[in-house]
């Protein structure tokens, strides 16, 4: 199908002719990107549903005509035409299409973003879905939507260096959304520009410190001392900046590490718990179930294509 998007002819099918069928390992979807690429964009007009699945990519869905229903971790979302919906990597989700309609489905590998300073703040922003509407994100909506339009044009025209261009637009989008969130925080609205910059740098230094040392026995005192703030001041600033306490972030960082390790079959659950910084297997099991709603063993079975119990898996006994 060839359509015109703002005066530009776009061939929506030619770019994805390499695709044959979905590849599922349990509920994990594999091989979603073209060969030697880390981007896949569909102009989707199918009236079919996609059962619960997950993948390592960031998925962004933008309905063009008619709504689209999305369940993420069992929570339903109705996304209307013009809305922009972010599904974080490794989030379990299902898609439900109306009888007719069109939407863009964009898939990006963003794991390499972890090498960029400020990544922790981005991942914190992406820990949950982001539902952008013209009303809720009014100050930045038009700019963000325009950047997505440029991404679609680049992808379906397949111009020279189109992946570089697409990722540059995606970085812009993430920057806009991150700054939009910062501007809504009291911490940054009540301070001078110089003080805001100082707070931003010192907090990000502390987050980098936590990210590099989460597997060690670090404490609130350690992080506060590293940031140069008093313990009390650091706790208040950190919670406002990250929307969680230091200990919540530390535990979340450890849990995130175990989610990735649990998809491997060469490590026991005990080894994974200790590698991620948990002091005991019982603490890990209790914390994991509280945060994820299932035991590490159940998670491994669900997200690793049904590997089942491994040696050292004592999650059901602790």
């Amino acid at each position: 199908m060839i359509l015109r998007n703002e005066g530009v002819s776009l061939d929506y099918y030619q770019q994805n002719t390499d695709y044959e069928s979905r590849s599922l390992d349990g509920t994990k979807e594999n091989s979603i990107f073209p060969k030697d690429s880390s981007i896949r964009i569909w102009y989707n007009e199918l009236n079919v549903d996609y059962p619960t699945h997950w993948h390592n990519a960031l998925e962004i869905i933008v309905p063009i005509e008619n709504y689209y229903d999305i369940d993420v971790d069992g929570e339903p979302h109705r996304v209307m035409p013009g809305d922009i919906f972010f599904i974080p990597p490794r989030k379990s989700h299902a898609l439900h299409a109306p009888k007719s309609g069109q939407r863009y489905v964009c898939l990006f590998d963003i794991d390499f973003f972890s090498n960029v300073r400020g990544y922790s703040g981005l991942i914190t922003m992406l820990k949950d879905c982001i539902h952008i509407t013209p009303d809720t994100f009014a100050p930045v909506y038009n700019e963000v939507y325009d950047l997505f339009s440029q991404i679609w044009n680049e992808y379906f025209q397949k111009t020279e260096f189109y992946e570089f261009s697409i990722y540059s637009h995606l970085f812009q989008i993430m920057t806009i959304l991150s700054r939009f969130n910062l501007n809504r925080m009291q911490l940054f609205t009540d301070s001078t520009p110089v003080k805001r910059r100082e707070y931003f740098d010192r907090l990000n230094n502390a987050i980098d410190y936590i990210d590099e040392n989460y597997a060690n026995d670090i404490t609130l005192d350690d992080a506060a001392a590293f940031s140069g703030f008093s313990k009390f001041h650091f706790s208040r600033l950190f919670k406002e900046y990250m929307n969680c306490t230091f200990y919540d972030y530390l535990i979340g960082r450890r849990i995130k590490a175990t989610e990735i390790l649990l998809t491997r079959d060469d490590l026991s659950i005990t080894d994974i718990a200790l590698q991620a910084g948990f002091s005991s297997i019982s603490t890990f099991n209790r914390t994991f179930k509280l945060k994820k709603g299932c035991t590490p063993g159940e998670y491994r079975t669900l997200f690793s294509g049904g590997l089942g119990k491994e040696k050292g898996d004592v999650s059901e006994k602790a």
Side-chain angles (χ1 to χ4, degrees), residues 172-189:
Q172 279 186 271
I173 290 167
M174 296 304 188
T175 301
I176 291 167
L177 295 179
S178 297
R179 288 175 175 170
F180 178 72
N181 284 337
L182 285 180
N183 288 335
R184 293 191 293 185
M185 295 180 187
Q186 179 109 24
L187 161 66
F188 291 91
T189 57

Side-chain angles (χ1 to χ4, degrees), residues 60-90:
I60 302 172
I61 297 176
V62 185
I64 304 300
E65 179 182 306
N66 215 343
Y67 65 87
Y68 206 53
D69 285 334
I70 304 170
D71 294 336
V72 182
D73 286 341
E75 182 178 347
H77 303 266
R78 173 153 291 188
V79 187
M80 302 303 294
D83 291 359
I84 304 168
F85 193 82
F86 285 65
I87 304 173
R90 293 173 279 276

Side-chain angles (χ1 to χ4, degrees), residues 227-293:
S227 71
F229 292 118
S230 70
K231 179 178 175 180
F232 173 80
H233 200 39
F234 175 75
S235 295
R236 183 179 68 83
L237 295 175
F238 189 92
K239 185 171 184 179
E240 185 167 1
Y241 183 42
M242 299 300 288
N243 199 33
C244 65
T245 67
F246 160 78
Y247 285 110
D248 283 340
Y249 181 78
L250 177 61
I251 293 301
R253 187 65 184 82
R254 289 172 174 169
I255 291 293
K256 180 61 68 176
T258 66
E259 289 178 28
I260 297 172
L261 293 173
L262 284 167
T263 62
R264 294 171 47 180
D265 60 2
D266 60 333
L267 293 172
S268 72
I269 289 183
T270 299
D271 290 338
I272 289 170
L274 297 178
Q275 268 195 35
F278 288 96
S279 58
S280 68
I281 186 65
S282 59
T283 299
F284 173 50
N285 289 329
R286 183 173 61 254
T287 305
F288 194 94
K289 187 164 187 177
L290 180 65
K291 295 291 185 181
K292 304 301 294 184

